[in-house]
Amino acid sequence: MERLIKIHTLGPKETDSCSAAYYFSQQRTGDGDISIILHDSFETIFRHLAEYCDDLLLLPVAFKSKKSTPIGLIFIIVF
C-alpha cells in the first residue's frame, strides 16, 4: 500500500513555495499520493515541526521574514 506523502510549505497558491511543491509532486508520481499543506508563514511551520514527523518540509534557503531581507531563493526538501 502506498503511503500519503505530506508536503508542508508556504501558501497561498500564488507563492513560489507552493509552485515548487506542485512541481516536486508532479516529479514524484510513482511514490504514492501527495498532499500539499499550505501555511501562513514558515514560522508557523517551525513552531509545529514536532507534529509533522514523517512529513516533508519544502522551504527556500532564504525567505522573506518580517525581520529579514531575502538574499536569493533556492528550494530544499527536508525529509
Side-chain angles (χ1 to χ4, degrees):
M1 180 176 177
E2 295 180 352
R3 71 179 186 106
L4 174 65
I5 299 169
K6 296 179 186 176
I7 303 174
H8 297 269
T9 196
L10 184 67
K13 288 185 177 183
E14 294 80 20
T15 62
D16 291 337
S17 297
C18 183
S19 295
Y22 279 106
Y23 176 81
F24 177 79
S25 69
Q26 291 172 350
Q27 303 306 308
R28 307 288 299 231
T29 56
D31 292 340
D33 293 330
I34 295 177
S35 173
I36 299 171
I37 302 159
L38 303 176
H39 298 268
D40 293 333
S41 69
F42 287 111
E43 289 87 352
T44 301
I45 296 172
F46 299 147
R47 278 196 299 270
H48 298 276
L49 206 53
E51 299 169 28
Y52 307 141
C53 292
D54 301 322
D55 293 353
L56 303 178
L57 169 60
L58 185 142
L59 65 147
V61 172
F63 69 93
K64 186 172 181 162
S65 176
K66 294 176 184 176
K67 299 177 184 177
S68 67
T69 303
I71 302 168
L73 199 60
I74 300 172
F75 291 93
I76 60 170
I77 294 281
V78 179
F79 295 92

